[in-house]
Amino acid sequence: MTDYDARLVDLYDEDNPDGPDHDYFRSLADQLDARSILDLGCGTGILTVTFARPGRTVVGIDPSPAMLAYAAGRPGGADVDWVLGDSRDIPGGPFDYAAMTGNVAQHIPDPAWEHTLRDLGTALRPGGVLTFESRNPRARAWESWADEEPTVRSTPHGPLREWLELGESEPGRVVITFHNVFEDTGEDVVDELTLAFRERALIERQLVDAGFVVDGVWADWDRTPCADDSPLMVFQAHRA
């Protein structure tokens, strides 16, 4: 993959702040009394570092060198083992708990997604818990994203004008092109991302095929049971 522009990485936490989603992931780790935690697709490590505490091992993995450099340099970064790569590069284990946050699951295309679930199953101890979220394709959230107007905001790197273009390359596969124009220079930093919108039944079947037992699917971070039309699906499963 082409790595992220470091200027945009600087803004990532502002765009994706700590909130109810992180509270859910932290509370589940505490509920499980997890002594070893894997954060796959950890990004800037904003959540990952908050898992760390005495007597607990935390590993954060991400394929972006720019993201990992930011994560390692943030307060608490020295308390986490950072690994450049993906599920094929998971070190050590077995882990008590693994999380994929920020819709990481949708960033992984098929068939790499199925391989990722199998790798996570291997990395977790028997009974170890996996949790992640994915948007429900039935809500078709991307249709509203296309209507958003360009915005301009002040950043440490000068005014930044942002907008996106999107299209559905095939059912359940949405290609998003992000434009980030640094107005002082006119430089347009373009990022393209493909998101996989998978049906709940498919994800549950893939989890079972990878050796997991599905414990629950939630509609929100308060663990409300998921309905067919819930925009968000939060999965919790354990290794059989």
Side-chain angles (χ1 to χ4, degrees), residues 181-203:
V181 177
F182 291 92
E183 301 234 289
D184 287 347
T185 63
E187 181 184 4
D188 185 5
V189 178
V190 179
D191 288 325
E192 185 173 285
L193 173 67
T194 299
L195 293 180
F197 286 78
R198 301 179 178 94
E199 292 279 350
R200 170 181 174 175
L202 173 60
I203 294 175

Side-chain angles (χ1 to χ4, degrees), residues 1 3 40-43 59-69 81-91:
M1 62 166 284
D3 200 13
L40 183 62
C42 62
V59 174
I61 301 181
D62 201 271
S64 164
M67 288 283 194
L68 278 188
D81 295 325
W82 305 105
V83 176
L84 179 66
D86 55 31
S87 65
R88 295 168 294 183
D89 303 294
I90 296 172

Side-chain angles (χ1 to χ4, degrees), residues 100-155:
M100 291 182 284
T101 70
N103 295 293
V104 162
Q106 292 186 255
H107 289 65
I108 306 173
D110 299 314
W113 169 240
E114 291 94 330
H115 289 299
T116 297
L117 291 177
R118 289 196 292 271
D119 290 341
L120 287 165
T122 300
L124 285 164
R125 65 167 175 78
V129 169
L130 168 66
T131 187
F132 59 90
E133 86 272 29
S134 187
R135 297 180 183 93
N136 189 344
R138 299 187 182 192
R140 300 188 67 84
W142 64 88
E143 293 180 346
S144 64
W145 303 343
D147 297 331
E148 296 176 359
E149 294 294 324
T151 60
V152 179
R153 58 171 161 163
S154 297
T155 78

